Structures are given as C-alpha cells and as structure tokens.
C-alpha cells in the first residue's frame, strides 16, 4: 500500500476531537507520521502490528483514550482506563540487526524523561531498563515487542514485508488518580505533582521529538555510545545497592550504570562486574521498588 493510501485509511479511523487534542501539536519529521487515534482499542501495541500487516510504515503511531486489553511486561495487564493518560505505540521498521532492538527500550525511556522535562519541567528518573520514576514511584511503563509481520496476501500491501517490525508501547500516568491499595505506594501520576495542567498532545510531541533525535544517533552507531552518559545520569539506581532477580539465582551488588549495549553493570562484593541483560532479569532496590 502506498504511504499516502495508508495515511488516508488511518485518518478514517480517527476520532476528530481526540485527534485535535493529541496531534494538534505534532511537528516531528517521521515519528508520528501518521498518528492513528482511537477512543477505545484492545492494545495500541496489538493495533500497531495489525496496521503493520496492512502496510503501515516506519514512524506510524497508534494512540487511544482507553485500552481494554493493555499489555504490560512479563505478561502482566496494564490497566488503561479512559481519562487523562497517554497510551501510545510507535511502529518501527528497523534497518539494523534484530538483536539490537532491546536497546530501543532504553532510548524511548530517555525520550520520555526528556519529553516530560520539556513539557512540565519535572525530572523523571529511569529504573533500569525502562520504568520511569517520579519521586520514587512508577509513572510510566514501556513494552517493546518485535515480530515478523507476514505480508497481507489478501491485499498485497506493498509496504508490508517479512522483515521484523518493532513496536514500542508507552503508558504514561498523566492525570491525577488514586491507585488500588497494592499499587498506591509504587505508582504515581504527573499531575499528582504538577496539578491539572498537562496537555497530552504537547507531551506526545515532545516525547516523539526527543526520540527522533536519539534514534538518529542510534542508527549511526547502532549502539548507545552516544547517549550512555545521558542515560546513566537519569538512572535512579546509579551507585546504589540493587538485587538482581535472576532466574538462575538472586544476587546483590552496586549498580554502576549501563554499557554501550544497554546491559546494567553490577559490581559484586568481590569486585567483579556482571553485565546484566534486561531480557532475563529484573532489578530491585534493596529497600523496595527503586
Ligand atoms: C510495563 O511497565 O509493564 C509496561 C507497560 C506498557 C504499557 C503501554 S500502554 C501503550 C502500549 N499498549 C499496550 O498494550 N502496552 C503499552
């Protein structure tokens, strides 16, 4: 399917009021060209893969007011009520090797922190690899998925191919809300701190703009060497003791930052440094979530 044709069919799915709110500020070059805006969708990540099979191109964004089957990491559910939150997924058709895709999660985490800073002045920290934290509580989660999307043979969409498609899904808690008891100590929202003044459209534009800048450097080097220092400066666990929940055995050490491929360097008590790969483990601060 030609790009213009796809853009037109994406437009037909759009809720105009929401579209104006969410895309009225968009001034990016390719990230968010186009944006498909839905009132309700099962999951913006799932919809991105469906659109990929129809030929949606690199940079397509899907966003929704509400998700009925929002997906979190490790098979968890991401509660996605309607209201003032930002749920979006960015579709990428990478030109680099598939094993480099996990680094994109770290890039988008930096882009969210930068987008929130530009929009609100708030400083978010990153809990490696990709949770965004505000005052010690999670304010944003990221789910990156990669699939080989089969060409849609019914419509023979030209843009579809059997190359891997990466979808990066971002859920930001924006509007003030209370959380169920089990989450109350671990989760927060941006407007809990700023008061009710955040434009989701400005926030989306700022995040996508920041991602474009980071991605362009990333495809030049195909690693995180250009932004490693920036990432480490945002790392909530930097030089703090962490517990690594490795299925092969839990251990503790001091987090020393990431390396150029995004692994967390954890220094054990005997001085040795382990490179922790995000796919296998999660990391906790020794006193709780961070
Ligand atoms: C996590 O921290 O567990 C990841 C949460 C990711 C949630 C976002 S919301 C937009 C996108 N669509 C989904 O179904 N999930 C991601």
């Amino acid at each position: 399917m030609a790009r213009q044709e796809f853009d037109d069919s994406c437009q037909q799915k759009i809720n105009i009021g929401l579209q104006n709110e969410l895309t009225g500020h968009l001034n990016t070059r390719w990230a968010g060209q186009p944006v498909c805006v839905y009132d309700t969708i099962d999951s913006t990540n799932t919809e991105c893969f469906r659109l990929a099979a129809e030929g949606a191109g690199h940079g397509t964004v899907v966003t929704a007011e509400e998700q009925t089957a929002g997906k979190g990491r490790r098979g968890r559910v991401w509660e996605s009520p309607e209201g003032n939150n930002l749920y979006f997924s960015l579709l990428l058709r990478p030109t680099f090797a598939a094993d480099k895709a996990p680094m994109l999660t770290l890039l988008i985490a930096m882009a969210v922190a930068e987008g929130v800073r530009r929009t609100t002045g708030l400083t978010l920290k990153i809990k490696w690899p990709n949770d965004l934290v505000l005052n010690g509580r999670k304010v944003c989660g990221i789910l990156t998925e990669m699939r080989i999307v089969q060409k849609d043979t019914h419509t023979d969409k030209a843009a579809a191919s059997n190359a891997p498609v990466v979808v990066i899904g971002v859920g930001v808690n924006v509007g003030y809300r209370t959380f169920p008891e089990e989450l109350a100590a671990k989760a927060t929202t941006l407007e809990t701190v700023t008061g009710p003044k955040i434009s989701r459209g400005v926030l989306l534009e700022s995040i996508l703009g920041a991602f474009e800048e980071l991605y362009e450097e990333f495809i030049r080097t195909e690693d995180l060497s250009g932004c490693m220092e920036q990432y480490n400066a945002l790392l909530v666990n930097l030089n703090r003791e962490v517990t690594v929940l490795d299925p092969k055995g839990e251990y503790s050490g001091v987090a020393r930052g990431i390396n150029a491929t995004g692994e967390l360097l954890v220094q054990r008590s005997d001085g040795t440094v382990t490179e922790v790969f995000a796919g296998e483990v999660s990391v906790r601060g020794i006193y709780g979530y961070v």
Side-chain angles (χ1 to χ4, degrees), residues 38-48 62-72 77-83 85-89 141 143 169-172:
Y38 298 80
D39 282 325
T40 300
I41 196 83
D42 48 0
S43 151
T44 55
N45 272 30
T46 307
E47 178 65 2
C48 254
V62 172
T63 181
E65 180 65 54
E66 171 194 47
Q67 297 184 114
T68 54
K71 297 187 284 184
V77 170
W78 185 258
E79 295 296 340
S80 311
E82 66 176 311
N85 290 312
L86 182 60
Y87 314 114
F88 74 91
S89 302
L143 175 67
V170 178
V172 188

PDB file of all heavy atoms in Angstrom, residues 38-48 62-72 77-83 85-89 141 143 169-172:
ATOM      1  N   TYR A  38      -7.603   6.475  18.498  1.00  0.00           N
ATOM      2  CA  TYR A  38      -8.824   5.711  18.757  1.00  0.00           C
ATOM      3  C   TYR A  38      -9.418   6.121  20.101  1.00  0.00           C
ATOM      4  O   TYR A  38      -8.683   6.448  21.027  1.00  0.00           O
ATOM      5  CB  TYR A  38      -8.519   4.209  18.843  1.00  0.00           C
ATOM      6  CG  TYR A  38      -7.953   3.626  17.574  1.00  0.00           C
ATOM      7  CD1 TYR A  38      -6.609   3.780  17.247  1.00  0.00           C
ATOM      8  CD2 TYR A  38      -8.764   2.907  16.698  1.00  0.00           C
ATOM      9  CE1 TYR A  38      -6.093   3.247  16.081  1.00  0.00           C
ATOM     10  CE2 TYR A  38      -8.248   2.375  15.528  1.00  0.00           C
ATOM     11  CZ  TYR A  38      -6.921   2.541  15.223  1.00  0.00           C
ATOM     12  OH  TYR A  38      -6.416   2.012  14.071  1.00  0.00           O
ATOM     13  N   ASP A  39     -10.750   6.039  20.186  1.00  0.00           N
ATOM     14  CA  ASP A  39     -11.388   6.168  21.503  1.00  0.00           C
ATOM     15  C   ASP A  39     -10.980   4.986  22.369  1.00  0.00           C
ATOM     16  O   ASP A  39     -10.500   5.141  23.475  1.00  0.00           O
ATOM     17  CB  ASP A  39     -12.915   6.125  21.363  1.00  0.00           C
ATOM     18  CG  ASP A  39     -13.464   7.441  20.887  1.00  0.00           C
ATOM     19  OD1 ASP A  39     -12.907   8.476  21.268  1.00  0.00           O
ATOM     20  OD2 ASP A  39     -14.446   7.419  20.131  1.00  0.00           O
ATOM     21  N   THR A  40     -11.262   3.799  21.831  1.00  0.00           N
ATOM     22  CA  THR A  40     -11.021   2.558  22.570  1.00  0.00           C
ATOM     23  C   THR A  40     -10.369   1.563  21.629  1.00  0.00           C
ATOM     24  O   THR A  40     -10.777   1.442  20.481  1.00  0.00           O
ATOM     25  CB  THR A  40     -12.370   1.951  23.027  1.00  0.00           C
ATOM     26  OG1 THR A  40     -13.011   2.886  23.857  1.00  0.00           O
ATOM     27  CG2 THR A  40     -12.170   0.671  23.802  1.00  0.00           C
ATOM     28  N   ILE A  41      -9.387   0.863  22.172  1.00  0.00           N
ATOM     29  CA  ILE A  41      -8.729  -0.189  21.378  1.00  0.00           C
ATOM     30  C   ILE A  41      -8.328  -1.262  22.384  1.00  0.00           C
ATOM     31  O   ILE A  41      -8.208  -0.978  23.570  1.00  0.00           O
ATOM     32  CB  ILE A  41      -7.510   0.399  20.613  1.00  0.00           C
ATOM     33  CG1 ILE A  41      -7.023  -0.515  19.496  1.00  0.00           C
ATOM     34  CG2 ILE A  41      -6.353   0.718  21.549  1.00  0.00           C
ATOM     35  CD1 ILE A  41      -7.787  -0.377  18.232  1.00  0.00           C
ATOM     36  N   ASP A  42      -8.125  -2.494  21.918  1.00  0.00           N
ATOM     37  CA  ASP A  42      -7.672  -3.514  22.875  1.00  0.00           C
ATOM     38  C   ASP A  42      -6.298  -3.118  23.426  1.00  0.00           C
ATOM     39  O   ASP A  42      -6.118  -2.949  24.630  1.00  0.00           O
ATOM     40  CB  ASP A  42      -7.677  -4.920  22.253  1.00  0.00           C
ATOM     41  CG  ASP A  42      -7.004  -4.993  20.882  1.00  0.00           C
ATOM     42  OD1 ASP A  42      -6.522  -3.953  20.375  1.00  0.00           O
ATOM     43  OD2 ASP A  42      -6.954  -6.105  20.309  1.00  0.00           O
ATOM     44  N   SER A  43      -5.332  -2.955  22.519  1.00  0.00           N
ATOM     45  CA  SER A  43      -3.991  -2.542  22.930  1.00  0.00           C
ATOM     46  C   SER A  43      -3.379  -1.788  21.754  1.00  0.00           C
ATOM     47  O   SER A  43      -3.465  -2.246  20.605  1.00  0.00           O
ATOM     48  CB  SER A  43      -3.145  -3.785  23.259  1.00  0.00           C
ATOM     49  OG  SER A  43      -1.775  -3.542  23.021  1.00  0.00           O
ATOM     50  N   THR A  44      -2.774  -0.662  22.021  1.00  0.00           N
ATOM     51  CA  THR A  44      -2.161   0.101  20.922  1.00  0.00           C
ATOM     52  C   THR A  44      -1.016  -0.695  20.291  1.00  0.00           C
ATOM     53  O   THR A  44      -0.763  -0.578  19.094  1.00  0.00           O
ATOM     54  CB  THR A  44      -1.678   1.483  21.401  1.00  0.00           C
ATOM     55  OG1 THR A  44      -0.802   1.310  22.522  1.00  0.00           O
ATOM     56  CG2 THR A  44      -2.843   2.375  21.795  1.00  0.00           C
ATOM     57  N   ASN A  45      -0.314  -1.521  21.103  1.00  0.00           N
ATOM     58  CA  ASN A  45       0.745  -2.367  20.521  1.00  0.00           C
ATOM     59  C   ASN A  45       0.145  -3.359  19.525  1.00  0.00           C
ATOM     60  O   ASN A  45       0.647  -3.530  18.416  1.00  0.00           O
ATOM     61  CB  ASN A  45       1.461  -3.165  21.625  1.00  0.00           C
ATOM     62  CG  ASN A  45       2.620  -2.397  22.239  1.00  0.00           C
ATOM     63  OD1 ASN A  45       2.588  -1.174  22.298  1.00  0.00           O
ATOM     64  ND2 ASN A  45       3.623  -3.113  22.718  1.00  0.00           N
ATOM     65  N   THR A  46      -0.943  -4.012  19.943  1.00  0.00           N
ATOM     66  CA  THR A  46      -1.572  -5.019  19.080  1.00  0.00           C
ATOM     67  C   THR A  46      -2.063  -4.365  17.796  1.00  0.00           C
ATOM     68  O   THR A  46      -1.892  -4.909  16.700  1.00  0.00           O
ATOM     69  CB  THR A  46      -2.751  -5.676  19.841  1.00  0.00           C
ATOM     70  OG1 THR A  46      -2.246  -6.145  21.103  1.00  0.00           O
ATOM     71  CG2 THR A  46      -3.360  -6.821  19.083  1.00  0.00           C
ATOM     72  N   GLU A  47      -2.659  -3.189  17.927  1.00  0.00           N
ATOM     73  CA  GLU A  47      -3.164  -2.489  16.741  1.00  0.00           C
ATOM     74  C   GLU A  47      -2.014  -2.109  15.803  1.00  0.00           C
ATOM     75  O   GLU A  47      -2.133  -2.182  14.587  1.00  0.00           O
ATOM     76  CB  GLU A  47      -3.974  -1.257  17.161  1.00  0.00           C
ATOM     77  CG  GLU A  47      -4.508  -0.407  16.028  1.00  0.00           C
ATOM     78  CD  GLU A  47      -5.545  -1.093  15.119  1.00  0.00           C
ATOM     79  OE1 GLU A  47      -5.918  -2.256  15.367  1.00  0.00           O
ATOM     80  OE2 GLU A  47      -5.966  -0.449  14.138  1.00  0.00           O
ATOM     81  N   CYS A  48      -0.891  -1.716  16.371  1.00  0.00           N
ATOM     82  CA  CYS A  48       0.269  -1.385  15.536  1.00  0.00           C
ATOM     83  C   CYS A  48       0.680  -2.582  14.682  1.00  0.00           C
ATOM     84  O   CYS A  48       0.996  -2.425  13.496  1.00  0.00           O
ATOM     85  CB  CYS A  48       1.449  -1.000  16.425  1.00  0.00           C
ATOM     86  SG  CYS A  48       1.798   0.742  16.425  1.00  0.00           S
ATOM     87  N   VAL A  62       0.113   4.743  17.037  1.00  0.00           N
ATOM     88  CA  VAL A  62      -1.274   4.467  17.419  1.00  0.00           C
ATOM     89  C   VAL A  62      -1.455   4.965  18.844  1.00  0.00           C
ATOM     90  O   VAL A  62      -0.629   4.673  19.719  1.00  0.00           O
ATOM     91  CB  VAL A  62      -1.572   2.951  17.365  1.00  0.00           C
ATOM     92  CG1 VAL A  62      -2.953   2.657  17.950  1.00  0.00           C
ATOM     93  CG2 VAL A  62      -1.484   2.439  15.940  1.00  0.00           C
ATOM     94  N   THR A  63      -2.531   5.716  19.061  1.00  0.00           N
ATOM     95  CA  THR A  63      -2.800   6.175  20.419  1.00  0.00           C
ATOM     96  C   THR A  63      -4.290   6.024  20.694  1.00  0.00           C
ATOM     97  O   THR A  63      -5.093   5.967  19.762  1.00  0.00           O
ATOM     98  CB  THR A  63      -2.288   7.619  20.641  1.00  0.00           C
ATOM     99  OG1 THR A  63      -2.559   8.012  21.979  1.00  0.00           O
ATOM    100  CG2 THR A  63      -2.937   8.617  19.712  1.00  0.00           C
ATOM    101  N   ALA A  64      -4.656   5.894  21.955  1.00  0.00           N
ATOM    102  CA  ALA A  64      -6.061   5.666  22.309  1.00  0.00           C
ATOM    103  C   ALA A  64      -6.370   6.320  23.646  1.00  0.00           C
ATOM    104  O   ALA A  64      -5.497   6.464  24.502  1.00  0.00           O
ATOM    105  CB  ALA A  64      -6.342   4.169  22.388  1.00  0.00           C
ATOM    106  N   GLU A  65      -7.637   6.662  23.787  1.00  0.00           N
ATOM    107  CA  GLU A  65      -8.102   7.216  25.065  1.00  0.00           C
ATOM    108  C   GLU A  65      -8.141   6.120  26.134  1.00  0.00           C
ATOM    109  O   GLU A  65      -7.855   6.367  27.306  1.00  0.00           O
ATOM    110  CB  GLU A  65      -9.512   7.794  24.841  1.00  0.00           C
ATOM    111  CG  GLU A  65     -10.164   8.415  26.043  1.00  0.00           C
ATOM    112  CD  GLU A  65      -9.416   9.645  26.520  1.00  0.00           C
ATOM    113  OE1 GLU A  65      -9.182  10.551  25.704  1.00  0.00           O
ATOM    114  OE2 GLU A  65      -9.056   9.692  27.718  1.00  0.00           O
ATOM    115  N   GLU A  66      -8.496   4.910  25.674  1.00  0.00           N
ATOM    116  CA  GLU A  66      -8.671   3.791  26.612  1.00  0.00           C
ATOM    117  C   GLU A  66      -8.211   2.507  25.938  1.00  0.00           C
ATOM    118  O   GLU A  66      -8.417   2.342  24.738  1.00  0.00           O
ATOM    119  CB  GLU A  66     -10.163   3.695  26.939  1.00  0.00           C
ATOM    120  CG  GLU A  66     -10.569   2.486  27.721  1.00  0.00           C
ATOM    121  CD  GLU A  66     -12.088   2.284  27.713  1.00  0.00           C
ATOM    122  OE1 GLU A  66     -12.719   2.366  26.630  1.00  0.00           O
ATOM    123  OE2 GLU A  66     -12.632   2.031  28.783  1.00  0.00           O
ATOM    124  N   GLN A  67      -7.599   1.596  26.718  1.00  0.00           N
ATOM    125  CA  GLN A  67      -7.267   0.264  26.194  1.00  0.00           C
ATOM    126  C   GLN A  67      -8.043  -0.770  27.013  1.00  0.00           C
ATOM    127  O   GLN A  67      -8.065  -0.696  28.248  1.00  0.00           O
ATOM    128  CB  GLN A  67      -5.780  -0.030  26.335  1.00  0.00           C
ATOM    129  CG  GLN A  67      -4.869   0.905  25.553  1.00  0.00           C
ATOM    130  CD  GLN A  67      -3.411   0.485  25.681  1.00  0.00           C
ATOM    131  OE1 GLN A  67      -2.789   0.084  24.725  1.00  0.00           O
ATOM    132  NE2 GLN A  67      -2.860   0.597  26.889  1.00  0.00           N
ATOM    133  N   THR A  68      -8.643  -1.716  26.320  1.00  0.00           N
ATOM    134  CA  THR A  68      -9.413  -2.741  27.041  1.00  0.00           C
ATOM    135  C   THR A  68      -8.555  -3.966  27.365  1.00  0.00           C
ATOM    136  O   THR A  68      -8.936  -4.793  28.171  1.00  0.00           O
ATOM    137  CB  THR A  68     -10.624  -3.191  26.201  1.00  0.00           C
ATOM    138  OG1 THR A  68     -10.140  -3.594  24.913  1.00  0.00           O
ATOM    139  CG2 THR A  68     -11.631  -2.059  26.056  1.00  0.00           C
ATOM    140  N   ALA A  69      -7.413  -4.100  26.708  1.00  0.00           N
ATOM    141  CA  ALA A  69      -6.517  -5.234  26.984  1.00  0.00           C
ATOM    142  C   ALA A  69      -5.074  -4.727  26.926  1.00  0.00           C
ATOM    143  O   ALA A  69      -4.234  -5.272  26.197  1.00  0.00           O
ATOM    144  CB  ALA A  69      -6.750  -6.351  25.973  1.00  0.00           C
ATOM    145  N   GLY A  70      -4.816  -3.650  27.677  1.00  0.00           N
ATOM    146  CA  GLY A  70      -3.470  -3.069  27.707  1.00  0.00           C
ATOM    147  C   GLY A  70      -2.472  -4.098  28.236  1.00  0.00           C
ATOM    148  O   GLY A  70      -2.743  -4.800  29.211  1.00  0.00           O
ATOM    149  N   LYS A  71      -1.330  -4.180  27.572  1.00  0.00           N
ATOM    150  CA  LYS A  71      -0.339  -5.206  27.929  1.00  0.00           C
ATOM    151  C   LYS A  71       0.837  -4.586  28.676  1.00  0.00           C
ATOM    152  O   LYS A  71       1.376  -3.554  28.262  1.00  0.00           O
ATOM    153  CB  LYS A  71       0.202  -5.870  26.660  1.00  0.00           C
ATOM    154  CG  LYS A  71      -0.847  -6.616  25.876  1.00  0.00           C
ATOM    155  CD  LYS A  71      -0.236  -7.398  24.730  1.00  0.00           C
ATOM    156  CE  LYS A  71       0.160  -6.511  23.568  1.00  0.00           C
ATOM    157  NZ  LYS A  71       0.660  -7.269  22.398  1.00  0.00           N
ATOM    158  N   GLY A  72       1.239  -5.232  29.763  1.00  0.00           N
ATOM    159  CA  GLY A  72       2.439  -4.832  30.487  1.00  0.00           C
ATOM    160  C   GLY A  72       3.552  -5.820  30.215  1.00  0.00           C
ATOM    161  O   GLY A  72       3.371  -6.793  29.467  1.00  0.00           O
ATOM    162  N   VAL A  77      -1.041  -7.268  32.979  1.00  0.00           N
ATOM    163  CA  VAL A  77      -2.042  -6.371  32.392  1.00  0.00           C
ATOM    164  C   VAL A  77      -1.630  -4.939  32.710  1.00  0.00           C
ATOM    165  O   VAL A  77      -1.127  -4.663  33.806  1.00  0.00           O
ATOM    166  CB  VAL A  77      -3.420  -6.671  33.030  1.00  0.00           C
ATOM    167  CG1 VAL A  77      -4.450  -5.599  32.647  1.00  0.00           C
ATOM    168  CG2 VAL A  77      -3.900  -8.058  32.615  1.00  0.00           C
ATOM    169  N   TRP A  78      -1.806  -4.030  31.740  1.00  0.00           N
ATOM    170  CA  TRP A  78      -1.578  -2.599  32.008  1.00  0.00           C
ATOM    171  C   TRP A  78      -2.951  -1.951  32.061  1.00  0.00           C
ATOM    172  O   TRP A  78      -3.605  -1.754  31.042  1.00  0.00           O
ATOM    173  CB  TRP A  78      -0.714  -1.979  30.918  1.00  0.00           C
ATOM    174  CG  TRP A  78      -0.334  -0.548  31.167  1.00  0.00           C
ATOM    175  CD1 TRP A  78      -0.902   0.560  30.592  1.00  0.00           C
ATOM    176  CD2 TRP A  78       0.703  -0.057  32.032  1.00  0.00           C
ATOM    177  NE1 TRP A  78      -0.287   1.700  31.056  1.00  0.00           N
ATOM    178  CE2 TRP A  78       0.698   1.359  31.942  1.00  0.00           C
ATOM    179  CE3 TRP A  78       1.619  -0.673  32.887  1.00  0.00           C
ATOM    180  CZ2 TRP A  78       1.592   2.157  32.665  1.00  0.00           C
ATOM    181  CZ3 TRP A  78       2.500   0.132  33.604  1.00  0.00           C
ATOM    182  CH2 TRP A  78       2.487   1.511  33.490  1.00  0.00           C
ATOM    183  N   GLU A  79      -3.417  -1.671  33.279  1.00  0.00           N
ATOM    184  CA  GLU A  79      -4.743  -1.048  33.437  1.00  0.00           C
ATOM    185  C   GLU A  79      -4.754   0.265  32.676  1.00  0.00           C
ATOM    186  O   GLU A  79      -3.885   1.115  32.893  1.00  0.00           O
ATOM    187  CB  GLU A  79      -5.040  -0.786  34.918  1.00  0.00           C
ATOM    188  CG  GLU A  79      -5.171  -2.029  35.797  1.00  0.00           C
ATOM    189  CD  GLU A  79      -6.348  -2.915  35.400  1.00  0.00           C
ATOM    190  OE1 GLU A  79      -7.277  -2.416  34.728  1.00  0.00           O
ATOM    191  OE2 GLU A  79      -6.319  -4.105  35.759  1.00  0.00           O
ATOM    192  N   SER A  80      -5.743   0.449  31.798  1.00  0.00           N
ATOM    193  CA  SER A  80      -5.714   1.614  30.901  1.00  0.00           C
ATOM    194  C   SER A  80      -7.079   2.287  30.836  1.00  0.00           C
ATOM    195  O   SER A  80      -7.729   2.309  29.791  1.00  0.00           O
ATOM    196  CB  SER A  80      -5.300   1.179  29.497  1.00  0.00           C
ATOM    197  OG  SER A  80      -4.152   0.374  29.516  1.00  0.00           O
ATOM    198  N   PRO A  81      -7.526   2.842  31.960  1.00  0.00           N
ATOM    199  CA  PRO A  81      -8.843   3.484  31.954  1.00  0.00           C
ATOM    200  C   PRO A  81      -8.839   4.748  31.110  1.00  0.00           C
ATOM    201  O   PRO A  81      -7.791   5.351  30.888  1.00  0.00           O
ATOM    202  CB  PRO A  81      -9.064   3.830  33.428  1.00  0.00           C
ATOM    203  CG  PRO A  81      -7.696   3.964  34.000  1.00  0.00           C
ATOM    204  CD  PRO A  81      -6.816   2.994  33.240  1.00  0.00           C
ATOM    205  N   GLU A  82     -10.041   5.140  30.660  1.00  0.00           N
ATOM    206  CA  GLU A  82     -10.116   6.423  29.954  1.00  0.00           C
ATOM    207  C   GLU A  82      -9.897   7.543  30.964  1.00  0.00           C
ATOM    208  O   GLU A  82      -9.970   7.335  32.170  1.00  0.00           O
ATOM    209  CB  GLU A  82     -11.471   6.578  29.263  1.00  0.00           C
ATOM    210  CG  GLU A  82     -12.634   6.680  30.201  1.00  0.00           C
ATOM    211  CD  GLU A  82     -13.935   6.925  29.460  1.00  0.00           C
ATOM    212  OE1 GLU A  82     -13.966   7.826  28.604  1.00  0.00           O
ATOM    213  OE2 GLU A  82     -14.902   6.210  29.744  1.00  0.00           O
ATOM    214  N   GLY A  83      -9.629   8.711  30.437  1.00  0.00           N
ATOM    215  CA  GLY A  83      -9.314   9.812  31.347  1.00  0.00           C
ATOM    216  C   GLY A  83      -8.022  10.397  30.847  1.00  0.00           C
ATOM    217  O   GLY A  83      -7.647  10.210  29.706  1.00  0.00           O
ATOM    218  N   ASN A  85      -4.777   9.962  30.556  1.00  0.00           N
ATOM    219  CA  ASN A  85      -3.498   9.237  30.487  1.00  0.00           C
ATOM    220  C   ASN A  85      -3.025   9.228  29.041  1.00  0.00           C
ATOM    221  O   ASN A  85      -3.781   9.537  28.144  1.00  0.00           O
ATOM    222  CB  ASN A  85      -3.660   7.799  30.980  1.00  0.00           C
ATOM    223  CG  ASN A  85      -3.908   7.765  32.467  1.00  0.00           C
ATOM    224  OD1 ASN A  85      -3.202   8.417  33.233  1.00  0.00           O
ATOM    225  ND2 ASN A  85      -4.932   7.041  32.869  1.00  0.00           N
ATOM    226  N   LEU A  86      -1.778   8.864  28.852  1.00  0.00           N
ATOM    227  CA  LEU A  86      -1.255   8.786  27.484  1.00  0.00           C
ATOM    228  C   LEU A  86      -0.832   7.349  27.217  1.00  0.00           C
ATOM    229  O   LEU A  86       0.030   6.808  27.910  1.00  0.00           O
ATOM    230  CB  LEU A  86      -0.048   9.736  27.350  1.00  0.00           C
ATOM    231  CG  LEU A  86       0.597   9.832  25.971  1.00  0.00           C
ATOM    232  CD1 LEU A  86      -0.395  10.326  24.913  1.00  0.00           C
ATOM    233  CD2 LEU A  86       1.817  10.760  26.012  1.00  0.00           C
ATOM    234  N   TYR A  87      -1.506   6.734  26.251  1.00  0.00           N
ATOM    235  CA  TYR A  87      -1.144   5.387  25.800  1.00  0.00           C
ATOM    236  C   TYR A  87      -0.803   5.504  24.326  1.00  0.00           C
ATOM    237  O   TYR A  87      -1.644   5.933  23.538  1.00  0.00           O
ATOM    238  CB  TYR A  87      -2.321   4.411  25.926  1.00  0.00           C
ATOM    239  CG  TYR A  87      -3.069   4.473  27.237  1.00  0.00           C
ATOM    240  CD1 TYR A  87      -4.396   4.912  27.286  1.00  0.00           C
ATOM    241  CD2 TYR A  87      -2.457   4.098  28.422  1.00  0.00           C
ATOM    242  CE1 TYR A  87      -5.085   4.969  28.482  1.00  0.00           C
ATOM    243  CE2 TYR A  87      -3.141   4.156  29.632  1.00  0.00           C
ATOM    244  CZ  TYR A  87      -4.458   4.601  29.655  1.00  0.00           C
ATOM    245  OH  TYR A  87      -5.136   4.665  30.836  1.00  0.00           O
ATOM    246  N   PHE A  88       0.414   5.138  23.969  1.00  0.00           N
ATOM    247  CA  PHE A  88       0.715   5.150  22.534  1.00  0.00           C
ATOM    248  C   PHE A  88       1.758   4.101  22.189  1.00  0.00           C
ATOM    249  O   PHE A  88       2.508   3.639  23.055  1.00  0.00           O
ATOM    250  CB  PHE A  88       1.166   6.541  22.051  1.00  0.00           C
ATOM    251  CG  PHE A  88       2.570   6.932  22.453  1.00  0.00           C
ATOM    252  CD1 PHE A  88       3.657   6.639  21.627  1.00  0.00           C
ATOM    253  CD2 PHE A  88       2.816   7.593  23.641  1.00  0.00           C
ATOM    254  CE1 PHE A  88       4.949   7.003  21.983  1.00  0.00           C
ATOM    255  CE2 PHE A  88       4.107   7.959  24.005  1.00  0.00           C
ATOM    256  CZ  PHE A  88       5.178   7.659  23.180  1.00  0.00           C
ATOM    257  N   SER A  89       1.760   3.736  20.897  1.00  0.00           N
ATOM    258  CA  SER A  89       2.750   2.781  20.384  1.00  0.00           C
ATOM    259  C   SER A  89       3.336   3.331  19.107  1.00  0.00           C
ATOM    260  O   SER A  89       2.615   3.889  18.276  1.00  0.00           O
ATOM    261  CB  SER A  89       2.104   1.424  20.099  1.00  0.00           C
ATOM    262  OG  SER A  89       1.513   0.913  21.279  1.00  0.00           O
ATOM    263  N   GLY A 141       5.380   3.116  32.015  1.00  0.00           N
ATOM    264  CA  GLY A 141       5.910   1.790  31.678  1.00  0.00           C
ATOM    265  C   GLY A 141       6.069   1.670  30.175  1.00  0.00           C
ATOM    266  O   GLY A 141       5.369   2.346  29.406  1.00  0.00           O
ATOM    267  N   LEU A 143       6.676  -1.164  26.888  1.00  0.00           N
ATOM    268  CA  LEU A 143       6.694  -2.549  26.418  1.00  0.00           C
ATOM    269  C   LEU A 143       7.125  -2.557  24.951  1.00  0.00           C
ATOM    270  O   LEU A 143       6.413  -2.055  24.088  1.00  0.00           O
ATOM    271  CB  LEU A 143       5.298  -3.176  26.544  1.00  0.00           C
ATOM    272  CG  LEU A 143       5.165  -4.586  25.975  1.00  0.00           C
ATOM    273  CD1 LEU A 143       5.992  -5.586  26.792  1.00  0.00           C
ATOM    274  CD2 LEU A 143       3.707  -5.025  25.928  1.00  0.00           C
ATOM    275  N   GLY A 169       5.644   0.384  22.964  1.00  0.00           N
ATOM    276  CA  GLY A 169       4.425   0.886  23.604  1.00  0.00           C
ATOM    277  C   GLY A 169       4.766   1.636  24.882  1.00  0.00           C
ATOM    278  O   GLY A 169       5.586   1.190  25.687  1.00  0.00           O
ATOM    279  N   VAL A 170       4.116   2.784  25.052  1.00  0.00           N
ATOM    280  CA  VAL A 170       4.408   3.649  26.199  1.00  0.00           C
ATOM    281  C   VAL A 170       3.104   3.997  26.905  1.00  0.00           C
ATOM    282  O   VAL A 170       2.144   4.436  26.264  1.00  0.00           O
ATOM    283  CB  VAL A 170       5.090   4.957  25.722  1.00  0.00           C
ATOM    284  CG1 VAL A 170       5.367   5.886  26.901  1.00  0.00           C
ATOM    285  CG2 VAL A 170       6.381   4.653  24.970  1.00  0.00           C
ATOM    286  N   GLY A 171       3.071   3.805  28.200  1.00  0.00           N
ATOM    287  CA  GLY A 171       1.914   4.210  29.002  1.00  0.00           C
ATOM    288  C   GLY A 171       2.367   5.194  30.062  1.00  0.00           C
ATOM    289  O   GLY A 171       3.184   4.845  30.919  1.00  0.00           O
ATOM    290  N   VAL A 172       1.872   6.441  29.965  1.00  0.00           N
ATOM    291  CA  VAL A 172       2.261   7.460  30.957  1.00  0.00           C
ATOM    292  C   VAL A 172       1.040   7.794  31.809  1.00  0.00           C
ATOM    293  O   VAL A 172      -0.037   8.107  31.270  1.00  0.00           O
ATOM    294  CB  VAL A 172       2.758   8.763  30.282  1.00  0.00           C
ATOM    295  CG1 VAL A 172       3.329   9.716  31.333  1.00  0.00           C
ATOM    296  CG2 VAL A 172       3.777   8.495  29.191  1.00  0.00           C
TER     297      VAL A 172
END
